[in-house]
Amino acid sequence: MLFLPICYTDKQTTVREVVAELKAAGASWIQFDEPTLVLDLDSHQLQAFTHAYSDLEASLSGLNVLIETYFADIPAGAYKTVTALKGVSAFGFDLVRGTKTLDLIKSAGFPSGKCLFAGVDDGRNIWPNDLTASLSTLHALEATVGKDKLVVSTSCSLLHTAVDLVNETKLDDEIKSWLAFAAQKVVEVNALAKALAGHKDEAFFSANAAAQASRKSSSRVNNAAVQRAAAALRVSDHRRKTNVSARLDAQQKKLNLPILPTTTIGSFPLLQSLISEDEYVKAIKGEISKVVKLQEELNIDVLVHGEPERNDMVEYFGEQMQGIAFTVNGWVQSYGSRCLKPPIIYGDVSCPKAMTVFWSSMAQSMTSRPMKGMLTGPVTILKWSFVRNDQPRFETCYQIALAIKDEVEDLEVAGIQVIQIDEAALREGLPLRKSEQAFYLEWAVHSFRITNCGVIDTTQIHTHMCYSNFNDIIHSIIDMDSDVITIENSRSDEKLLSVFRDGVKYGAGIGPGVYDIHSPRIPSTEEIADRINKMLAVLETNILWVNPDCGLKTRKYPEVMPVLTNMVAAAKLLRTQLASAR
Ligand code: GLN
Ligand code: ZN
């Protein structure tokens, strides 16, 4: 499998060389992954694409070449470009995420004599294929592309799903019967291909239909009360009654924070490894108390409890919600060598009892400073889980939002005055195609507002976001209407600030990260003060917060202590300078 850069570069030689080597090694098929074709490419980019492949044509002769796209519908222009390429024998499309591509193939036609790799089996999720529906899709495609020219395929690489259900020792049989991991998907693809060739395994197809019917009607999936509550959300857009500047005033009267207040994003490194089950509460309490003392010593203004009780910011909440299952071995790659086990959202989501109040109130009782309650937002829980394929994503997101709303209100009742609802993955969830982005942002931002529309003015709602490239969605971020947002900034070389330089008005509190937590490097007080000064040049003094880019759990205490010391010192330095400049 090769990744070919779309633009003309000197890498072209390398691709040619690799192709030659593969040929010499006896390869008869080569697949080029070109997921970029599902983006909104302009005509120049498409031309470059054509050029790149015509340049390769000679090297590719004698080989079967497949160009594979996935993750969304291929736009009509790109479809035309790619299917017109000479020297290519097959084209692959994601027919799961791309729901309109099927019609495009039918209406625009398919080059005769070429093969179509029909991605009918979802490579990104853990649900079994609807074999009967796929078979009828395949029959219809066969009529367009011709007999023996259709190849049954997964919608994308199986890298995105878990490996094999046989490794799941803790899932009950019923839930297991509703799932298909990579190994099971390969069997499905094979069964479809055989059926297409006239050898349908009737028993396999009926078992598949029965499992789907059982999931559809199961009381573990359907919760009428949750469905009613989610449906009722449509009547309002869930905004807090007072505008953000009035709220910030009311909050400041209660919280009485200095200008440039300091805080962190939530997690602290673990001080010690945790021991036996019965010692659990005591051990966690010990961790929290150390983290609280430490922040008081560092003189941080708004404290966190350090999240020592959490395995993962999504898994921790998922485990306490109904309608969500967990695997023991359903690992998928997150990035680099980091893997995680996404929760499986299989049914209507609800949460029978408070999830974080116990730990947050314990932490608050240890200090007179404000203790931030720490929650993961609905969009991030949705995005980092395997989601239901039997209802729209926004429906599932609204249900999670209602569960988090209850938690926000429980925290408020318990006396927590500052509550952070992390939406680390909001930007990451943005659809690839521009035409789908507005709709996504609308329901994602609405879900966030649902979680905190019910709190009183003096309760300060924070949100936090990782990853860069916020500039194109800044208006949606503003529309989240949170009182304070802490946002990754240093790692992305302060690209974020340019949006404010360009004149976007941001009236709520904002804490662009002052240092990169992904690196062990310890920036000096002057360096951090310099960063804050850059922010002060584009943002009002009274809305700026001082905090790291993200949580500290991947760092070690010997790094965290000096860097937070410097961060607080930088904030103090600037407070003094600002006070004397008045
Ligand atoms: N509150 C979380 C933490 O500090 C946020 C992590 C994240 O944004 N990825 O660990
Ligand atoms: Zn983060």
Side-chain angles (χ1 to χ4, degrees), residues 187-228:
V187 175
E188 289 175 347
V189 166
N190 193 28
L192 283 168
K194 283 208 172 125
L196 198 60
H199 309 290
K200 186 170 168 194
D201 181 341
E202 294 293 351
F204 190 69
F205 271 66
S206 348
N208 169 270
Q212 288 188 69
S214 116
R215 179 176 154 217
K216 199 167 176 187
S217 60
S218 168
S219 60
R220 297 172 76 181
V221 170
N222 298 294
N223 179 331
V226 172
Q227 288 169 8
R228 265 196 308 276

Side-chain angles (χ1 to χ4, degrees), residues 430-537:
L430 194 68
L432 297 171
R433 295 291 294 283
K434 289 204 177 78
S435 58
E436 292 161 23
Q437 293 177 352
F439 179 62
Y440 162 79
L441 286 168
E442 212 269 316
W443 63 253
V445 169
H446 187 183
S447 300
F448 178 81
R449 285 200 310 264
I450 289 167
T451 62
N452 62 84
C453 62
V455 300
I456 53 175
D457 280 3
T458 49
T459 299
Q460 187 167 77
I461 299 294
H462 288 218
T463 187
H464 163 72
M465 281 183 208
C466 308
Y467 308 105
S468 47
N469 281 335
F470 292 106
N471 298 14
D472 49 349
I473 61 160
I474 189 73
H475 293 288
S476 301
I477 293 180
I478 294 172
D479 203 35
M480 289 169 82
D481 196 29
S482 85
D483 295 310
V484 178
I485 179 166
T486 55
I487 197 158
E488 180 183 312
N489 168 59
S490 306
R491 194 165 176 229
S492 54
D493 284 333
E494 304 175 327
K495 277 197 203 93
L496 170 71
L497 294 184
S498 68
V499 73
F500 302 112
R501 245 173 247 130
D502 293 345
V504 169
K505 282 266 159 282
Y506 195 72
I510 180 164
V514 297
Y515 78 89
D516 176 11
I517 56 88
H518 293 280
S519 151
R521 201 177 76 86
I522 297 162
S524 66
T525 304
E526 294 67 39
E527 186 182 326
I528 297 178
D530 215 50
R531 284 239 148 119
I532 303 175
N533 262 325
K534 276 200 202 151
M535 295 169 194
L536 284 169

